[in-house]
Amino acid sequence: MTSPAALTIVNALAANGGESYSLNVQSLLVITTLAFLPGLILLMTSFTRIIIVLSVLRQALGMQTTPPNMVLAALALAMTVFVMRGVIQQEQDKALNPYLSGQITFSQAVTAAEPPIQDFMLAQTRKAPLHLFVDLSGGHYADPKSVPFTVLVPAFATSELETAFQISFLIYIPFVLIDLAVASILMSLGMIMVSPTLISLPLKLLMFVSIHGWVLVLGTLANSFVGGH
């Protein structure tokens, strides 16, 4: 079922073009637009950093399928909404609500929606990726806010990958040390037939639970978006 808000947007676009679309064409356009939504979430929000860190954490614990992928994705999405709640509120106040109330046109709403998400992305984008894609684009911009989204989005995504791997490395180290300690003890005892994972897994789980690991990891992820780079 196509939402009224989505149909309103399609009708506005059609009105600007001087023609109206049938309900079937409107539904097709809305479905096509929604198909790009996952890509936008991955490339323009904090989702990528969070899901990568959570996936590496699961591997560091030695559990390949626990928590399941669906649980990690849902948790990452919830954390994304939490981290970006300020941006979402600005988008709603400056673009969505005025457009739905008829105060501004669709094109004006799109223009008003750009600054909040742009400011968020610029705050989290490192200088090296931004300079790289600016150089590759061959453009010259007076300040970072004048960088177009076609350059800012890949720079932001690259920066998120870099940050996610740095956080993941720091999280992985304690678990690697536990694996090495268990393997060394088993070898010194001559128990070479016993899998180190059999012993290290409960130890890692005990350590992770005792220090409130989920609270620490999620808190670190949330704080990593404060201040930016």
Side-chain angles (χ1 to χ4, degrees), residues 160-178:
E160 286 294 281
L161 289 175
E162 187 174 346
T163 304
F165 274 66
Q166 288 182 353
I167 297 175
S168 300
F169 172 76
L170 296 176
I171 291 176
Y172 216 110
I173 290 178
F175 299 105
V176 171
L177 294 178
I178 293 177

Side-chain angles (χ1 to χ4, degrees), residues 5-221:
L7 289 180
T8 302
I9 295 175
V10 176
N11 285 330
L13 291 174
N16 292 335
E19 56 182 331
S20 61
Y21 297 113
S22 65
L23 181 60
N24 290 335
V25 175
Q26 291 177 0
S27 301
L28 178 61
L29 291 175
V30 171
I31 293 174
T32 303
T33 303
L34 292 177
F36 291 96
L37 187 59
L40 295 178
I41 294 177
L42 289 173
L43 295 177
M44 301 177 66
T45 68
S46 57
F47 183 85
T48 298
R49 182 190 305 187
I50 296 172
I51 192 64
I52 289 177
V53 172
L54 293 180
S55 299
V56 172
L57 171 63
R58 182 176 64 179
Q59 293 182 354
L61 285 171
M63 299 183 294
Q64 302 300 321
T65 58
T66 305
N69 291 332
M70 186 175 297
V71 174
L72 289 185
L75 180 58
L77 185 59
M79 284 292 299
T80 300
V81 174
F82 174 79
V83 168
M84 302 191 65
R85 63 194 186 280
V87 177
I88 296 173
Q89 186 63 46
Q90 292 183 54
E91 299 282 4
Q92 185 176 0
D93 294 340
K94 296 181 179 180
L96 182 59
N97 288 341
Y99 171 72
L100 294 179
S101 62
Q103 299 176 6
I104 59 177
T105 63
F106 179 75
S107 60
Q108 291 174 332
V110 173
T111 302
E114 290 180 359
I117 187 65
Q118 183 183 41
D119 291 342
F120 172 81
M121 294 170 66
L122 283 173
Q124 304 302 323
T125 303
R126 297 172 180 268
K127 292 182 179 179
L130 184 60
H131 290 166
L132 169 65
F133 285 97
V134 167
D135 292 340
L136 291 176
S137 68
H140 300 280
Y141 308 102
D143 56 84
K145 289 191 175 183
S146 62
V147 176
F149 275 90
T150 52
V151 177
L152 179 58
V153 169
F156 170 76
T158 304
S159 182
E160 286 294 281
L161 289 175
E162 187 174 346
T163 304
F165 274 66
Q166 288 182 353
I167 297 175
S168 300
F169 172 76
L170 296 176
I171 291 176
Y172 216 110
I173 290 178
F175 299 105
V176 171
L177 294 178
I178 293 177
D179 288 333
L180 291 176
V182 170
S184 300
I185 293 174
L186 290 178
M187 289 191 65
S188 64
L189 295 176
M191 303 173 62
I192 59 175
M193 300 302 293
V194 179
S195 173
T197 305
L198 186 65
I199 308 298
S200 64
L201 178 57
L203 292 178
K204 288 188 288 188
L205 288 177
L206 177 62
M207 182 200 72
F208 190 70
V209 173
S210 63
I211 64 174
H212 304 287
W214 286 111
V215 176
L216 292 176
V217 171
L218 297 180
T220 299
L221 282 171

